[in-house]
Amino acid sequence: RSSENEPLPLDTPRKRKKRKLPKVISTREADSLLRAAEQDRRVTNMEALRNRLILELMYRAGLRVSEVVGLALRDVERDGVIRLYAAKGGDGTSYFDADRLLPQIDAWLAIRQAWAREGSLFFCKPGGDPVGVRYVQRLVKRLKEQLGIAGICTPHVLRHTFATELVGEGFTLPEIQVALRHANLATTAVYLHVRDESLRRKVARRGHTNPGEEVQG
């Protein structure tokens, strides 16, 4: 029997499982990556235009790298709709800003007409062969190193950055779920935690900035 004077046991603090957050880059870094792809001197001007459009569709429409290199000509519509078939999670639809991307798409299609053969995918090499996943992965890695972007920057990081920017712009979780074609809303909700982590870093830096100095996110 415990004594009335015996101290109450302290509550054991609960251990919170550390959530693995998606890796993202800043809007400025993403824009720099796109410009670097178009100005890439290690490829021809026509290949550089194609490569930028590949990155644009991952960053502006949230496509996975396997999805963007697997697009057929009929899958990309002029009203800003991309039809995906046999993609991860099944068939689906993605969207892009037609006003922004149609000039690039038309420029690419003019090049593609000279390169493609019957059955060539939307993105192809001279002669009509497809652009591979590994090619895009190596391209992003090389441009990342060229620009000095710190941390992880892979093709999939462009998709994560797209989703995180949608959160910051006020899109609802169900809307982002549709944009990313997630089967489960909980998968989409992780992007809220990316914004939370960004807020934590901003608050932590408040005491280390000069009064009136803008804190960059």
Side-chain angles (χ1 to χ4, degrees), residues 172-191:
T172 67
L173 273 186
E175 287 172 334
I176 299 170
Q177 179 186 14
V178 171
L180 294 176
R181 292 161 283 110
H182 284 159
N184 192 326
L185 189 62
T187 305
T188 312
V190 71
Y191 292 101

Side-chain angles (χ1 to χ4, degrees), residues 75-95:
D75 296 341
V76 181
E77 302 178 3
R78 299 191 64 80
D79 58 354
V81 174
I82 299 175
R83 308 291 180 185
L84 297 166
Y85 302 93
K88 183 176 179 180
D91 296 350
T93 304
S94 284
Y95 307 96

Side-chain angles (χ1 to χ4, degrees), residues 43-51 54 107-131 135:
V43 298
T44 67
N45 290 341
M46 293 180 288
E47 289 171 319
L49 187 148
R50 177 202 63 195
N51 291 348
I54 289 173
W108 161 240
L109 289 177
I111 296 168
R112 182 189 179 279
Q113 187 173 9
W115 287 4
R117 58 176 183 264
E118 185 178 355
S120 289
L121 294 176
F122 185 82
F123 289 111
C124 63
K125 302 174 183 178
D129 289 339
V131 175
Y135 176 87

Side-chain angles (χ1 to χ4, degrees), residues 2 10 14 33 53 72-73 83 96 100 104 136 153 185:
S2 61
L10 296 175
R14 290 187 300 170
L33 200 70
L53 184 55
L73 188 60
R83 308 291 180 185
F96 63 90
R100 178 194 291 268
Q104 291 186 51
V136 180
C153 182
L185 189 62

Side-chain angles (χ1 to χ4, degrees), residues 58 62-68 88 156 159 180-182:
M58 290 189 288
L63 295 187
R64 301 175 178 90
V65 61
S66 59
E67 294 168 346
V68 74
K88 183 176 179 180
H156 207 64
R159 174 176 162 88
L180 294 176
R181 292 161 283 110
H182 284 159

Side-chain angles (χ1 to χ4, degrees), residues 135-201:
Y135 176 87
V136 180
Q137 290 171 336
R138 289 194 296 266
L139 170 68
V140 173
K141 182 176 184 293
R142 177 165 57 80
L143 295 179
K144 166 197 178 297
E145 293 172 351
Q146 174 184 316
L147 294 169
I149 296 175
I152 296 174
C153 182
T154 65
H156 207 64
V157 166
L158 292 174
R159 174 176 162 88
H160 289 325
T161 303
F162 163 76
T164 305
E165 289 183 1
L166 293 185
V167 174
E169 292 165 15
F171 284 74
T172 67
L173 273 186
E175 287 172 334
I176 299 170
Q177 179 186 14
V178 171
L180 294 176
R181 292 161 283 110
H182 284 159
N184 192 326
L185 189 62
T187 305
T188 312
V190 71
Y191 292 101
L192 292 178
H193 296 279
V194 175
R195 299 301 300 186
D196 291 345
E197 177 63 16
S198 176
L199 176 61
R200 182 197 67 77
R201 290 197 301 268

